[in-house]
Amino acid sequence: MVASRAHSPIPTPVRVLSPLSLLSLSLLSSACSSPSSPPPDAPPSSPPDARCLFSSPDAAPPSTSGCPELPATPDRLDEALALAGLDRCSLGYTPTDLAILPASILADADRLPFFDALWTRPLRAVPWARRLIAEIDAAFADGASPVSAAILAAAARLGHSPVACGAVAPPTGPTPLVDAVFALISSNGGLPDRVALEADAADVPPALQLALARVIAGVADAATARDVAIQSLDSLHRVVAFATPGWISPLGGPPRDDRYLAALRGEAVDLPALYGAAASLALVVEESGLAAQAGASGFSFRAETPLGLILIGDAADDTWDAVRAPGPIALLVDTGGDDHYLVPVAATAGPEHGVALAIDLDGADRYGYVEVPDADDGARLPSDDYGRASAGPYGPFTRSGVPRQGSGILGIGLLTDLGGDSDHYRSLAYSQGFGALGVGVLFDDGGDDRYEVEIGGQGAGVFGIGLLLDGGGADEHRIYTMGQGFGYVRGVGLLADAGDARDIYFAEPDDSVYYSPQLPGNGNSSFVQGAGFGRRDEAGGHMSGGLGLLTDAGGDDSYTASVFGQGTGYWFGTGILADAAGNDTVDGKWYVQGSAAHFALALHLDDGGDDVYNGVVTPAATSIGVGHDLSIGIHLDGGGNDRYRAPGLSLGAGNVNGVGLLINLGGDDEYHAAGEPSLPAGNHSGEIPPGTVREQRPTVGLFIDVGGADRYDVPGSTVVRADGASWTNNRRTPAVPTEHSAGLDAPDGTVVLP
């Protein structure tokens, strides 16, 4: 069930063109037309025409100049801005403001194309995010192409505009499966044994053969496109590039290699072409007719190819282990049963294994690995062959770097699980929708699913695109660090849940394994649940962060994180947590719930329900609508009776030239802060010495509550906050005109963010 969102009046961009529109596009008129598929029991026939999906570069504001659109009538936001000595046109950063930063920071080639326009004019950020969320919602609601459309939406945010077409030309003779495999082996330098292939395929039903032939042709096309995309990389640099995930691991680190950096920046790897190939392969799967073959029984098929194994299993309860699948897998299709996967599926296994596709059509499945317990596992996930290690301040983190379950590293890894059953996914690293110099996707169409990974997954992109797309059900997601919607440099990570059941998003807050400079020994560096993270390297290797988004369409959800999470950004990264509705509980320690540090952008958007913020975990600092060090932090709650427990420096606070904004619309709300600066605050802080240039640049904190009977508690504060009142809270003494703050509690009214 797909829950509709009440929050967005913004028209949804439609990327799937109608047949008439396609006919008008002369460049593509021969490739795409209206879709058609034979019934499941039809004999093999000629391939159907297939539609195409189009993406365009992200429609961010065209420049950093100008003023965000003004409402027809001034609203409560305009009232608060006026109280702070600002208006919509002056909220943000001017070129003079940004001149306090070194040119080496401002002129970063890795900056995502939308970032500067939103960073300098932050009121544009919420409607921009709404458009992206609407695209993801539309992909689910359409039902026909959720994966391919989501890949294109992610690529657009990276500044690319690939095209995805499902048109393939599978064989049309009486043995389409054999013909497709024969063609794939031959075209990739192999010597197929047709007699053996025909004998193995003899018991595969004709309709299933035709659907498989289409998918195999799609795999072959994607592999060719991937090889062309990386052709400028020699064998040595392919090995180095395949190690890209190490950038986010305690075991890894960025090599100082100009050619490798060129590859990461798209100069030696054609990433737009790779993204288009991934979206096209996803569309081939979506249009193949395979879903109609769920439950087919009485056969099996296996072929060794230069691209990896092709394995077809029936609806029995299968165990896929190293005996049955002894090498890298190009394609695995299982038509049903409660299956157990002990080998990596839908995961590129090395620099020469470019495409990995797995499709399970039905059953309550388990995706895991061969467990090799380590003495340091404790209550953590069991280790695999690589065990655990510690380094410096790190705890016993996993040494595993084995990608699994929808992981595309220097290639394409797509996992599709259908049938709406309750599935269990378990891995240690770089899994469950992880992309690095490639595209990794896990799509599960529903059921009460459980996802577990330790580092890098559940929608994580590192110089690539990683997506976890779940169609609904009461799901549980567990991780330690860097996932659940995590975007590193030139990456997009997306976790999207389309259902309205209760979901759990948990990032371990206390078991200190992944070192946190903010809370050493008392928390983890999370970077989860909508987190954009960049590389800060004072030696000259600064690299702006990516885009991380977690979007949940409804339900009484639970979110837990440690440090950096729940709509957070660091070093020009952009993080968004968007929850449509429901009575949610949200807990975190530091830089959470719409808070960012060091030139970043963070949005926490909750559209309704009686929510409790930090009712379980005690927040430590800098959270809930806080921008620190020229960052933008926005927390927007659209209604319900909400309860906030906050640290100092919280609830709509700008710190060190940052902009913090909290807006709560409707409901009887409670705000409890540990102390100042809070509710809201313009706070230059001791990090800006008096009389310096930075003191002449703005710091802004805004708090707006509209409707309801509200309560405020800030121990030791002399600022009077009350229902129906307004106030300011500029912290520097003597006062300076560049601290701007306004608190406004209004009985009614509107806030318009066009």
Side-chain angles (χ1 to χ4, degrees), residues 71-409:
T73 302
D75 63 7
R76 295 300 189 186
L77 174 58
D78 296 291
E79 184 179 346
L81 286 166
L83 180 62
L86 299 167
D87 58 24
R88 290 176 185 250
C89 300
S90 58
L91 180 64
Y93 301 116
T94 67
T96 301
D97 298 331
L98 299 182
I100 62 179
L101 297 177
S104 61
I105 291 177
L106 284 176
D108 185 349
D110 297 298
R111 194 81 38 81
L112 294 188
F114 62 81
F115 184 87
D116 284 355
L118 305 182
W119 181 43
T120 56
R121 290 290 180 262
L123 293 182
R124 292 170 170 162
V126 172
W128 176 87
R130 295 288 198 205
R131 286 192 291 271
L132 171 56
I133 295 161
E135 282 191 52
I136 303 303
D137 286 349
F140 275 111
D142 169 71
S145 51
V147 177
S148 50
I151 294 171
L152 293 180
R157 272 63 196 181
L158 294 169
H160 307 308
S161 52
V163 176
C165 278
V168 294
T172 58
T175 57
L177 173 57
V178 171
D179 294 343
V181 174
F182 190 95
L184 182 148
I185 295 173
S186 299
S187 63
N188 286 279
L191 297 173
D193 183 338
R194 187 175 188 91
V195 173
L197 291 173
E198 288 178 345
D200 199 6
D203 53 0
V204 180
L208 177 58
Q209 285 204 34
L210 181 61
L212 289 169
R214 292 171 182 151
V215 172
I216 291 166
V219 168
D221 288 348
T224 298
R226 179 265 187 182
D227 288 346
V228 171
I230 70 168
Q231 62 185 336
S232 295
L233 282 179
D234 60 29
S235 58
L236 172 61
H237 284 85
R238 292 184 186 192
V239 172
V240 175
F242 195 80
T244 298
W247 282 54
I248 63 170
S249 168
L251 290 170
R256 300 287 183 178
D257 183 310
D258 290 341
R259 187 168 179 183
Y260 177 50
L261 291 176
L264 298 182
R265 292 189 163 114
E267 298 164 19
V269 174
D270 188 348
L271 290 174
L274 198 54
Y275 299 153
S280 294
L281 178 57
L283 188 57
V284 168
V285 174
E286 290 162 338
E287 304 234 325
S288 67
L290 262 180
Q293 306 305 316
S297 296
F299 60 86
S300 65
F301 180 85
R302 181 180 186 275
E304 296 182 12
T305 83
L307 303 183
L309 292 170
I310 293 178
L311 303 169
I312 314 299
D314 71 356
D317 296 342
D318 294 310
T319 296
W320 295 97
D321 57 17
V323 174
R324 194 169 180 187
I329 301 169
L331 172 65
L332 190 157
V333 176
D334 191 294
T335 62
D338 298 339
D339 305 311
H340 192 190
Y341 295 87
L342 290 171
V343 293
V345 293
T348 52
E352 302 307 322
H353 181 221
V355 176
L357 177 63
I359 306 162
D360 191 294
L361 300 181
D362 200 8
D365 305 307
R366 291 177 295 155
Y367 297 83
Y369 53 94
V370 176
E371 298 175 2
V372 183
D374 185 282
D376 288 327
D377 286 342
R380 307 173 189 99
L381 285 172
S383 292
D384 59 12
D385 285 332
Y386 294 91
R388 292 190 172 273
S390 59
Y394 288 86
F397 59 89
T398 180
R399 294 179 63 92
S400 179
V402 179
R404 304 178 174 100
Q405 303 156 21
S407 181
I409 303 175

